[in-house]
Amino acid sequence: MSTTPHNIFQRSAAPVTIDEDKCIADKGCTVCVDVCPLDLLAIDLSKGKAYMKFDECWYCMPCEKDCPTDAVRVDIPYLLR
Ligand code: SF4
Ligand code: SF4
């Protein structure tokens, strides 16, 4: 019997959130989408803002580090810190 990591963490919100006031995807930025090795992030074309499309984050952090406007926030689960 084993417990997968997904069952350990109880989360109420997506681990990666985008500050839509800061995101400049509407100006053509796709940095966070491009750097995510798992392709979890996407641009919502109707809003012109990035968002987390798939909730399978590895917490590798380039999306937060490379965003030119500091719009990306990755919430690392307490147990992984
Ligand atoms: S890298 Fe930052 S500014 Fe660019 S699309 Fe992602 S959240 Fe928006
Ligand atoms: S922390 Fe890594 S896996 Fe998670 S969304 Fe950012 S780039 Fe993708």
Side-chain angles (χ1 to χ4, degrees), residues 8 20 46 61 68 81:
I8 295 171
E20 295 192 349
S46 66
M61 305 308 280
R81 281 182 209 197

Side-chain angles (χ1 to χ4, degrees), residues 16 36-38 40-41 57-63 74:
V16 178
C36 179
L38 301 180
L40 303 181
L41 307 177
C57 191
W58 278 354
Y59 308 103
C60 55
M61 305 308 280
C63 57
V74 180

Side-chain angles (χ1 to χ4, degrees), residues 29-42:
C29 182
T30 59
V31 169
C32 59
V33 177
D34 295 338
V35 296
C36 179
L38 301 180
D39 278 338
L40 303 181
L41 307 177

